[in-house]
Amino acid sequence: MFEEILAVFRPAILFPWLLSMAFGVLIGGTPGLTATMGVALIIPVTYYMEPLAGMAMILGVSFTSIFTGDIPATLLRIPGTPASGAATLDGYELTKQGRGMEALSLDLLCSAIGGFIGILLLMAVAPPLAKFALKFTNFQYFWLGIFGLSMSAVLSAGKPLNGVLSATLGLLVSTVGMDITTGLPRFTGGNMELLEGIGFIPAMVGLFGLSEVLKNVGDAKLLGESSIPEFGRISLLGTLKIILRNKMTVLKASLLGTCVGALPGAGADIAAWVAYGMEKKTSKNPEEFGKGSIKGVIAPTSANNAALGGTWIPALVFGVPGDSITAIVLGAMLMYGLRPGPLIFQENLKLVHGIFAVGLISQLFLIPVGLIGIRVFGKILRMPRNIVMVIVLIFSVIGSYAIRNSFFDIYIMAAFGVAGFFFEYLDIPLPPLILAIILGPMIEDNLRVGLIKTHGGLGEFIFDPICLTLIFLILFVFFGGPVMKFFRRKKGE
């Protein structure tokens, strides 16, 4: 393993690796551009490189972009990537309190720690954890999706019913497009552009980006002011002290993120929401979440980077992608002439060790690269609000168009921006809606295929041990808080 660590510092690997991390800063910090897009864009560049250099670039882009997506999420409440959605909740509130740099410092160090833990777990428990993930069939994936959606009640700021309403609207939106089972158009109104469904990236950019622009345009007094308040200076030593006081939150979120990431199809965005929801649900002070809670910043950012390590578990061991990024990775491995799966540990053990080494060292590189990203985007976002809002609007349009090179996605973004503006006015939370759009197809597909398998029977959906565990967790999400409060009250008496 020591030889593999030294090997990754060869110029042929190190320079492309660092350049990819700089590219990840741009991708993550630009709303609408995703880590998946960043990885897809660099794959052609790696075609003539050795496999380990290509893997280093992929890991560099993914880890860096997942972190830097938290920068606009924290400073402007606009997620840079889908995995940064949870960072809008407490990170943005801290920015409004003049503590934006504290939130971003926590994001940076917790991302590095979470990623480090995720890679260590990848190295230690890849085979057994991947085998467990492969036990998931349609029945278990259905309940996994419902579990993710049940977090809408947790993520709703004080009004769980509004959260459920938001998630329901998101599920309705997710049904637009081609019917998963029959292949027939559904709710498209004859529009060919809607056959592929409504993309969650344009919807997310509209809900969080354009709605913020509309809100600011409605208040002319704010337009000449700085877009964000003074957010202080970076103090890594002070941030480390905060992390040490909340070390259990970092550890729990990182472990949870890795486990969620190891489930094929889950990914870093779901890991972040689940970690945030579980931390809030088990907290002694859940009312602080959504108002600038430190734990509300630490949990999702630790989980989403840890999840990246988790997604490589099924990809490396069984050749099953953990998310869209590792789906591209599997294609790249085949392009390099490699066969992902159990035999890769025998035929290409040095490459596997090299990937582990790159993953661990990337967390160390992430800190200086992340600091540069914070400084650069911090200076840009300190400009007058009217200029920043124009920049946000331009990148919202570019980010929406770039996914499918479709002008129609710009219209989708605009429609969701107007809807998001009114939803906020009505106190309807936006995160559950986005989460439902992401999870809707997964839930519907697994429900309908499962019912076809059982000829309409529900027994397999209920009595399987994994299904029962997920059902218990869903009940805990809804009723765990009140039950724990009841017992605390009894204990106090």
Side-chain angles (χ1 to χ4, degrees):
M1 184 71 180
F2 183 70
E3 291 180 4
E4 284 79 6
I5 291 175
L6 291 178
V8 301
F9 288 103
R10 287 185 289 115
I13 295 175
L14 184 61
F15 291 143
W17 182 8
L18 292 175
L19 285 174
S20 72
M21 295 190 80
F23 179 61
V25 171
L26 175 64
I27 291 292
T30 305
L33 305 185
T34 66
T36 303
M37 180 188 293
V39 170
L41 288 174
I42 66 167
I43 289 296
V45 179
T46 69
Y47 184 75
Y48 294 103
M49 294 181 178
E50 60 179 288
L52 185 56
M55 293 295 106
M57 291 188 74
I58 291 169
L59 282 164
V61 167
S62 54
F63 278 114
T64 310
S65 56
I66 290 294
F67 158 68
T68 50
D70 289 352
I71 298 175
T74 299
L75 299 182
L76 288 177
R77 208 194 62 144
I78 303 170
T81 65
S84 304
T88 62
L89 300 175
D90 288 280
Y92 182 66
E93 290 298 318
L94 287 172
T95 295
K96 291 198 296 185
Q97 299 168 21
R99 299 165 62 193
M101 192 58 76
E102 180 183 343
L104 288 176
S105 299
L106 284 169
D107 281 335
L108 177 58
L109 293 187
C110 289
S111 291
I113 294 170
F116 200 85
I117 292 173
I119 296 296
L120 286 178
L121 288 173
L122 165 64
M123 296 167 62
V125 300
L129 206 53
K131 288 178 182 178
F132 172 73
L134 285 176
K135 292 180 180 178
F136 274 57
T137 62
N138 301 101
F139 314 112
Q140 290 82 16
Y141 275 118
F142 167 74
W143 287 114
L144 179 66
I146 295 295
F147 174 59
L149 272 188
S150 67
M151 292 296 169
S152 60
V154 176
L155 299 173
S156 304
K159 294 187 177 179
L161 188 60
N162 282 6
V164 173
L165 173 62
S166 178
T168 303
L169 291 172
L171 284 176
L172 291 175
V173 170
S174 73
T175 61
V176 176
M178 198 76 77
D179 188 289
I180 294 172
T181 306
T182 65
L184 296 174
R186 185 173 59 180
F187 308 127
T188 62
N191 191 319
M192 297 293 290
E193 297 278 1
L194 287 174
L195 287 177
E196 294 184 28
I198 294 176
F200 71 88
I201 296 296
M204 182 189 73
V205 171
L207 286 172
F208 289 106
L210 184 59
S211 65
E212 190 71 18
V213 173
L214 293 175
K215 190 165 65 176
N216 280 273
V217 169
D219 193 341
K221 293 180 181 179
L222 292 175
L223 290 178
E225 300 176 0
S226 173
S227 60
I228 54 175
E230 186 65 42
F231 54 94
R233 296 182 178 181
I234 294 178
S235 173
L236 293 183
L237 183 60
T239 305
L240 278 173
K241 291 179 180 178
I242 296 173
I243 291 174
L244 287 173
R245 288 199 298 268
N246 296 276
K247 54 185 177 293
M248 290 308 299
T249 299
V250 177
L251 181 61
K252 286 188 297 182
S254 299
L255 293 173
L256 182 60
T258 307
C259 292
V260 172
L263 301 174
D269 45 350
I270 296 177
W273 290 116
V274 171
Y276 182 90
M278 292 301 289
E279 187 61 34
K280 178 178 178 181
K281 208 65 181 175
T282 57
S283 172
K284 294 180 180 178
N285 303 297
E287 68 282 354
E288 294 179 359
F289 284 70
K291 299 177 182 177
S293 168
I294 292 296
K295 291 181 184 292
V297 172
I298 290 174
T301 195
S302 300
N304 58 20
N305 258 31
L308 291 180
T311 60
W312 283 71
I313 294 173
L316 277 181
V317 179
F318 286 96
V320 177
D323 64 350
S324 54
I325 294 176
T326 46
I328 298 173
V329 169
L330 294 180
M333 284 185 170
L334 294 174
M335 182 179 74
Y336 300 145
L338 303 172
R339 288 190 302 166
L343 292 178
I344 198 171
F345 289 87
Q346 299 175 12
E347 298 172 354
N348 300 98
L349 186 60
K350 285 190 175 182
L351 174 65
V352 173
H353 285 168
I355 291 172
F356 293 160
V358 167
L360 291 174
I361 298 168
S362 289
Q363 311 314 315
L364 301 178
F365 287 167
L366 179 61
I367 295 175
V369 172
L371 288 173
I372 294 171
I374 291 172
R375 287 297 183 192
V376 171
F377 280 96
K379 288 184 181 296
I380 292 173
L381 301 179
R382 285 290 296 165
M383 293 189 294
R385 191 178 295 263
N386 53 356
I387 297 176
V388 172
M389 288 301 111
V390 171
I391 294 173
V392 169
L393 182 60
I394 290 171
F395 277 116
S396 295
V397 172
I398 292 173
S400 300
Y401 175 81
I403 301 297
R404 297 187 293 190
N405 295 328
S406 170
F407 283 103
F408 186 76
D409 282 343
I410 298 176
Y411 304 143
I412 293 293
M413 182 271 295
F416 275 88
V418 174
F421 175 77
F422 285 107
F423 284 171
E424 292 210 310
Y425 179 76
L426 297 172
D427 204 22
I428 297 175
L430 304 181
L433 195 153
I434 283 295
L435 192 60
I437 295 175
I438 295 171
L439 291 177
M442 167 186 165
I443 292 172
E444 182 189 3
D445 184 30
N446 286 293
L447 173 63
R448 295 178 70 175
V449 172
L451 289 174
I452 290 171
K453 284 182 178 178
T454 61
H455 304 287
L458 296 175
E460 293 284 348
F461 280 97
I462 298 173
F463 298 111
D464 176 85
I466 298 176
C467 290
L468 282 173
T469 302
L470 289 168
I471 291 170
F472 170 79
L473 290 174
I474 292 166
L475 293 174
F476 176 78
V477 165
F478 282 109
F479 304 110
V483 170
M484 290 175 73
K485 283 183 180 178
F486 173 78
F487 281 112
R488 282 191 195 126
R489 200 178 301 119
K490 283 285 185 183
K491 191 176 180 180
E493 291 176 0

